[in-house]
Amino acid sequence: GNSVTQMEGPVTLSEEAFLTINCTYTATGYPSLFWYVQYPGEGLQLLLKATKADDKGSNKGFEATYRKETTSFHLEKGSVQVSDSAVYFCALLIYGGATNKLIFGTGTLLAVQP
Amino acid sequence: EAQVTQNPRYLITVTGKKLTVTCSQNMNHEYMSWYRQDPGLGLRQIYYSMNVEVTDKGDVPEGYKVSRKEKRNFPLILESPSPNQTSLYFCASSLGQGAKILGTDTQYFGPGTRLTVL
């Protein structure tokens, strides 16, 4: 079936460290891939997306590349800040029949320390 | 401002007392959906609606009802809440079928409703 697997958290980093949060997926067809971010006490916000293989999504210094050969969409940032502390969700969007179904990973908590 | 709104944001209730969580979007989106978020499980879809008067079950529909009488509103109804429905609930909307062809159907989420059923 269709699924998303994210690395377990929490991920704890010092400010200015390099961030990688791994995400792999299983899907039939050609899904679109997303990273959503949830700041404390808030709803989910779209961080970035990629709609086809080799696309790179980027926003706020975060990047992720849609790798069809490894079925991955890892999130990276070169230098994290305390304000990046949040829960990050990888998700894929399946188009099929009557529904556009968004399937989420379990989320990865990132804590950045000063 | 384009947004999805939910009310209430926080609710504590007792087992069996019917409640409704409202969701409204101002983006003229066709597609709306409800999710629940639980620790270690991520977000799971409860119900979705492709358009007015068209609704269908998601992955965890038991104990919930929805309606879509107008395009902008998609309320979630718990007829007889139970403690296992204690959760964080999110409403989301997206363009729907119109964006399907483009493969860019981004979902926009409301701020969430934290429900506690005692």
Side-chain angles (χ1 to χ4, degrees):
Chain A
N2 302 306
S3 65
V4 175
T5 302
Q6 282 181 245
M7 63 187 290
E8 293 272 340
V11 174
T12 304
L13 296 173
S14 298
E15 212 165 17
E16 299 184 2
F18 184 86
L19 168 70
T20 300
I21 300 178
N22 289 337
C23 171
T24 57
Y25 68 90
T26 302
T28 53
Y30 302 96
S32 294
L33 300 174
F34 301 81
W35 277 100
Y36 281 86
V37 58
Q38 183 180 31
Y39 297 104
E42 297 185 13
L44 276 73
Q45 301 175 25
L46 178 66
L47 181 59
L48 53 84
K49 65 182 179 184
T51 57
K52 60 183 187 299
D54 299 324
D55 268 3
K56 177 186 283 188
S58 61
N59 186 25
K60 299 181 181 179
F62 291 89
E63 293 184 338
T65 301
Y66 188 162
R67 302 277 188 209
K68 193 167 186 295
E69 65 276 13
T70 54
T71 62
S72 65
F73 193 54
H74 305 321
L75 182 68
E76 296 181 336
K77 186 174 185 182
S79 176
V80 293
Q81 305 300 313
V82 172
S83 57
D84 293 327
S85 298
V87 180
Y88 292 81
F89 290 92
C90 185
L92 65 85
L93 185 63
I94 297 291
Y95 300 93
T99 179
N100 296 340
K101 187 177 178 65
L102 195 60
I103 297 170
F104 287 89
T106 53
T108 301
L109 173 63
L110 171 65
V112 180
Q113 299 175 338
Chain B
E1 179 190 354
Q3 60 183 348
V4 179
T5 56
Q6 293 179 229
N7 281 292
R9 294 290 311 278
Y10 302 91
L11 180 60
I12 300 174
T13 189
V14 295
T15 298
K17 186 177 181 182
K18 181 179 178 180
L19 65 91
T20 299
V21 183
T22 64
C23 172
S24 184
Q25 51 90 8
N26 62 0
M27 295 170 278
N28 201 34
H29 283 170
E30 291 184 348
Y31 182 90
M32 297 186 75
S33 180
W34 276 103
Y35 298 88
R36 60 178 289 174
Q37 182 182 5
D38 301 290
L41 297 175
L43 277 80
R44 295 177 293 168
Q45 190 179 52
I46 303 170
Y47 267 94
Y48 65 92
S49 169
M50 297 300 291
N51 214 326
V52 176
E53 302 292 0
V54 181
T55 64
D56 210 342
K57 297 177 181 178
D59 298 317
V60 289
E62 294 76 21
Y64 304 95
K65 285 175 57 177
V66 292
S67 69
R68 188 90 182 273
K69 294 184 171 59
E70 308 164 276
K71 199 172 189 179
R72 64 182 295 129
N73 296 322
F74 190 46
L76 180 69
I77 303 155
L78 284 72
E79 295 271 2
S80 182
S82 61
N84 65 11
Q85 293 178 297
T86 293
S87 187
L88 180 57
Y89 291 86
F90 289 102
C91 181
S93 73
S94 66
L95 280 169
Q97 291 297 318
K100 181 177 177 178
I101 297 169
L102 298 174
T104 58
D105 197 16
T106 300
Q107 290 194 19
Y108 297 88
F109 284 78
T113 295
R114 185 165 292 282
L115 172 66
T116 302
V117 183
L118 302 174

